[in-house]
Amino acid sequence: MQMPAHIFATRDLSCPGAPAWIITMAVAVHLLVSSNLLLAWGIDYASPGGNPLAKFHPGTYLAGLALLVYCAPAARPARRLRALLRRQPATGWMLGAFMLCGVYYVLALGPSGLATLVESYVAAGMLALLAAQLTPLQARRLGWVMLACLTIAAPLAIAETLLQWHLVPVYLGSERFVESPQDWRAAALYDHPLTGAMMMEIAILLLLAARVPSWIKAAGIALFLTAQVAFGGRTALLVTLLVLAGLGAAAVLRGLLTRRLQAGMAASVLAGAVVLPVALSVLVTQTSIGSRIAQHAYADESADERLLVWTIPAMMSPRQVLFGTSAPQQTELMQRLGFGSPYNDIENFWLLSFINLGLFGFVIYLAGLLPFLAGLWRQANVMGRLALVSTMTIATTSNSLARKSDILFTLVAAIFAMRGFAEPEMAA
């Protein structure tokens, strides 16, 4: 099968060993060191004010270092960077748009909150510039490192749920958060339980893309789904199950159409269709791991709040609609709706980004993000596209990408790692 020219790096722009190792380290650090852990170590990462250098994740610094190491040895580093941006025009456009968005944000609302744009988006753009230049071997190595880190987190989430104890304290802002027993959820190595649930969805698709025996894939899927239940992410669990069902149905249909359907594959899909729902039902209804999902598996107060927050734009002043709102103004708007701070939030990152930036800033935001996502789609293989659509769908039901988050950073790494896993099949 002939692949588009942009799929594989050319010799003059291929990623040398040092930058490739550094971005692999950057992804691993993001997956293993959460904002909660930084706060537990005394690094004031999340709360407003303080040392501005502490507001950026170590993984973000490593991504910037990788880009510097990539460009610096060239005779003309600026020309090499321009060549890299020309090769990744959507990523270059995204980085430019978010830099402009950052300038706009500072002028309209001040510097507080600027690090969110860098952490959630600019870092992912820097990673995408270099990850697109990885050789298939380097991309597969990145994928194995990611799977190792995600596999470490999964049993920790299960153990936390069984013990009702957090390995790393959970913080909201700079304040330690203590849940009520009925709302207790694992967080493991992540900043929030919903982040953990999204990470497990990425882990499942990454494992499916890897070239490992079927029994390892089955065991890994069981582990990651159990951890996803422990994290309590209802949307993430539902989307993951739909993706798995769609992949199974597509495999059977492809086998029937090509008349190459093997009995083992058909039996595996049938067994999964029967065993998986039963096992998850028992896990959710009969064990403490799934107790929170069982208690909230209906249209509860949280669902009502997600609808109510859509009335906030109508409550904003004309200036706020055009230029955005500061954190104190958002708190005031939430209180007018009857929500208590800081335990209620706007659980839709598109809406929250509009409220943060206002109409003018949100237009710049969309002008950067949407082409970037389209560029990732063009460069991804089938599994990468599934990861892109499913992860962004899950992220839409939370405020993840409107605050400091490594979701997009991890997603970008997974997309290029999946491409590396698939490369031998493409070449064949």
Side-chain angles (χ1 to χ4, degrees):
M1 183 174 73
Q2 185 177 4
M3 299 303 298
H6 64 273
I7 287 296
F8 300 107
T10 56
R11 182 175 302 174
D12 61 326
L13 287 178
S14 61
C15 196
W21 277 109
I22 294 172
I23 62 172
T24 300
M25 290 171 55
V27 174
V29 168
H30 262 293
L31 290 175
L32 296 176
V33 180
S34 67
S35 61
N36 290 326
L37 187 56
L38 292 175
L39 286 165
W41 286 343
I43 300 173
D44 189 11
Y45 173 77
S47 59
N51 185 353
L53 296 178
K55 304 306 176 183
F56 302 103
H57 195 278
T60 301
Y61 283 111
L62 284 172
L65 175 63
L67 190 59
L68 178 63
V69 171
Y70 178 85
C71 294
R76 296 183 178 180
R79 177 177 293 183
R80 187 170 176 83
L81 179 60
R82 286 197 300 270
L84 195 61
L85 293 171
R86 283 196 299 268
R87 188 174 182 84
Q88 298 286 317
T91 303
W93 179 266
M94 175 262 208
L95 290 172
F98 274 93
M99 290 178 184
L100 179 60
C101 199
V103 172
Y104 165 86
Y105 188 91
V106 170
L107 293 176
L109 299 169
S112 180
L114 176 62
T116 297
L117 297 176
V118 176
E119 291 289 272
S120 295
Y121 299 100
V122 175
M126 291 191 297
L127 175 65
L129 283 178
L130 291 181
Q133 311 309 319
L134 295 176
T135 65
L137 178 61
Q138 291 169 335
R140 287 195 293 273
R141 183 178 63 205
L142 172 62
W144 291 124
V145 170
M146 292 182 69
L147 279 172
C149 296
L150 293 163
T151 303
I152 291 171
L156 288 178
I158 298 169
E160 282 191 353
T161 303
L162 293 174
L163 298 174
Q164 296 281 290
W165 171 77
H166 286 300
L167 175 67
V168 179
V170 176
Y171 294 86
L172 289 179
S174 58
E175 300 296 325
R176 186 165 177 174
F177 175 58
V178 180
E179 310 98 312
S180 58
Q182 63 270 22
D183 287 327
W184 203 97
R185 290 184 289 180
L189 302 177
Y190 306 114
D191 61 337
H192 192 277
L194 296 182
T195 300
M198 279 188 275
M199 291 296 186
M200 294 302 102
E201 174 261 341
I202 292 174
I204 288 173
L205 293 179
L206 196 57
L207 180 62
L208 288 173
R211 299 168 64 85
V212 296
S214 297
W215 68 269
I216 294 181
K217 291 187 178 183
I221 289 171
L223 173 65
F224 293 138
L225 281 176
T226 304
Q228 202 171 52
V229 172
F231 284 121
R234 292 170 294 178
T235 303
L237 180 61
L238 177 60
V239 170
T240 303
L241 292 176
L242 289 175
V243 169
L244 289 174
L247 286 172
V252 171
L253 181 60
R254 184 169 58 249
L256 291 173
L257 292 176
T258 59
R259 298 182 180 180
R260 294 179 180 177
L261 180 62
Q262 299 176 353
M265 176 182 290
S268 298
V269 173
L270 181 61
V274 174
V275 173
L276 188 58
V278 174
L280 282 174
S281 178
V282 171
L283 184 67
V284 169
T285 60
Q286 304 300 320
T287 72
S288 60
I289 295 176
S291 59
R292 190 181 187 279
I293 285 185
Q295 294 169 5
H296 296 271
Y298 50 86
D300 59 358
E301 182 181 351
S302 175
D304 296 336
E305 291 173 354
R306 291 170 190 268
L307 294 176
L308 188 58
V309 294
W310 285 93
T311 63
I312 290 180
M315 301 166 54
M316 295 165 61
S317 67
R319 188 188 186 286
Q320 290 173 340
V321 169
L322 293 176
F323 301 107
T325 61
S326 63
Q329 291 171 337
Q330 288 180 30
T331 301
E332 180 185 352
L333 290 170
M334 295 292 285
Q335 290 174 345
R336 286 168 60 185
L337 282 177
F339 294 156
S341 178
Y343 304 116
N344 296 100
D345 212 332
I346 299 168
E347 297 293 346
N348 183 292
F349 80 85
W350 302 100
L351 175 61
L352 184 53
S353 296
F354 171 78
I355 294 172
N356 282 337
L357 298 169
L359 180 60
F360 293 150
F362 190 62
V363 169
I364 303 173
Y365 172 91
L366 291 179
L369 180 59
L370 295 182
F372 179 63
L373 296 178
L376 290 176
W377 174 273
R378 287 192 297 271
Q379 296 179 88
N381 62 0
V382 173
M383 293 302 295
R385 290 177 177 182
L386 276 174
L388 178 63
V389 172
S390 58
T391 304
M392 292 303 296
T393 299
I394 299 168
T396 296
T397 64
S398 71
N399 63 3
S400 55
L401 292 178
R403 56 179 176 80
K404 287 183 180 179
S405 170
D406 52 9
I407 291 295
L408 191 58
F409 190 90
T410 305
L411 176 61
V412 168
I415 286 172
F416 289 103
M418 290 173 186
R419 204 175 75 182
F421 283 139
E423 189 273 336
E425 297 174 3
M426 291 177 180

